[in-house]
Structure formats: structure tokens, C-alpha cells
Amino acid sequence: TICSDKTGTLTTNVMSCVAFVTSNAHYKNNVHATERTSGNFIREDEYLAERADHLKMIKARDVIKKGPGASRHSRHKKKGDNDFQYTMNDDEVDKDFGEEKTEDAPASASKKIDYNDTLPVRQGLSPDMSFFRQALATGILCSKCTLGKDGTREGEIGNPTELSILRATYWTGVDVNKMKEAAPIIAEVPFS
């Protein structure tokens, strides 16, 4: 998921990747880096955490329980009519699917930062280059953008969002062009 504030993009057509977030960690990016090192991303789980409104968090099981298109209303739909009847557990059909269940919400739905979590690194440290090569490979390999001279904006060509991912990966020390040459795009199916 790419979260962005479009202000800079709309006014100057420029975007920077300021953070990389995984399921268990936030990595703050030094967007003013002058050296290509994985140390440009530092694990800092509190970074951007205060901007999220965790009270609005919807659990995956609740999304699945409601099914696809739950926000769409149909006058022909009957209670129990739903073709999305799988649970997250073992792909079994949920026999109680569509039944309304009421559960008391916890007093605080905000996620606590686990300072004992050290995977892949603990707070204040940076993962090695191979972590970013693997984690950001899809963003690199799916992009048709061209980085600017020495990873800068000078001469770059392409979508600002894709370029921000390429630039951030470049500054971790990953050879973006070598990756793209080793696994070129062979086909593309556009959204319709």
C-alpha cells in the first residue's frame, strides 16, 4: 500500500518515499542522503504511527464476514445470499456467514509498539541491503521509470510515485538498473 500526501506532487510533480512500513515495523528514510547505504532507512516504529487513526481500524475477519461489495446495496439481495463464504482459517466455509454478531469493542484499539520485536532489526538500526532488495523488488521490477543522474531527480523520467520507490531503493545501495535488466518486463495488462 502506498500512502501519500499529494500536495507536493500536485504543485511540483515531486514525491519522496519518507518511510517504508512492514507488518511489524516502520523504517524512516533519510531523503537527503548523499551516500548509498541501507543505513538511510532506520527502524523507528513511532515514526508516522501518531498519524494513523487506529480507532477506525477494521479487522480482516470483519471485512470477510461482510463479503465483497458489502458497501453496495442491492434490493434483490436476501439475507444469507453471498458468494464470499470463506474464513481466514483453513479456507473452510463459514456456516454462520452473514449472521449479525455483536462483540464489545475493546476500550482502545490502538496498536502498541513492541520494543522487544527485533526482526529483522531492533529500534534505531537498519536492515542490510538484501532486506530492501527483497522487500522493494516488486516496486523496482514493475516500474518502467528511469532514475535520474546518480539517483537524483536530474533527468528522471516517469511516474512520481514509482520514481520515489526507485530512488529510495537506489539510496539503500541496491543496483536498480541491474535488477531491471536481469528481470525485464515481458508483458503488461493495464487496468480497465
Side-chain angles (χ1 to χ4, degrees):
T1 303
I2 296 175
C3 302
S4 64
D5 173 2
K6 300 299 274 183
T7 306
T9 306
L10 292 174
T11 56
T12 60
N13 202 29
V14 171
M15 186 179 279
S16 295
C17 175
V18 297
F20 177 69
V21 180
T22 64
S23 61
N24 71 321
H26 293 197
Y27 301 93
K28 184 177 179 181
N29 183 22
N30 176 5
V31 295
H32 303 291
T34 56
E35 288 185 42
R36 294 183 64 203
T37 173
S38 62
N40 290 325
F41 275 96
I42 296 176
R43 182 169 178 178
E44 190 177 317
D45 291 350
E46 292 177 356
Y47 184 67
L48 296 180
E50 74 281 354
R51 293 185 182 186
D53 184 357
H54 296 291
L55 297 176
K56 293 181 182 176
M57 185 168 49
I58 300 170
K59 295 179 181 173
R61 71 172 183 244
D62 294 334
V63 173
I64 290 170
K65 184 169 50 174
K66 291 179 181 177
S71 62
R72 288 179 270 176
H73 294 74
S74 172
R75 60 189 167 133
H76 304 292
K77 192 171 183 176
K78 297 175 189 155
K79 186 172 179 164
D81 259 359
N82 205 316
D83 54 341
F84 192 70
Q85 301 183 8
Y86 291 91
T87 66
M88 292 289 282
N89 302 323
D90 304 324
D91 293 332
E92 297 172 0
V93 175
D94 182 358
K95 302 298 182 197
D96 298 324
F97 183 79
E99 297 296 319
E100 286 296 318
K101 297 176 185 172
T102 57
E103 297 177 15
D104 292 333
S108 174
S110 65
K111 182 181 175 186
K112 302 280 188 224
I113 295 173
D114 182 1
Y115 292 99
N116 295 320
D117 182 359
T118 60
L119 292 176
V121 295
R122 64 181 164 81
Q123 297 286 323
L125 297 180
S126 301
D128 61 15
M129 183 175 46
S130 66
F131 172 83
F132 291 106
R133 186 182 305 116
Q134 292 174 15
L136 298 172
T138 304
I140 296 167
L141 298 176
C142 291
S143 175
K144 293 192 278 183
C145 296
T146 303
L147 274 175
K149 180 182 176 185
D150 298 322
T152 65
R153 298 183 195 280
E154 182 185 334
E156 65 185 8
I157 301 170
N159 176 292
T161 304
E162 291 180 26
L163 284 165
S164 71
I165 295 168
L166 291 181
R167 195 177 317 103
T169 307
Y170 173 87
W171 287 105
T172 65
V174 174
D175 190 335
V176 172
N177 292 328
K178 187 175 180 180
M179 278 187 78
K180 289 174 81 168
E181 289 168 8
I185 296 173
I186 56 172
E188 182 178 356
V189 179
F191 290 108
S192 56

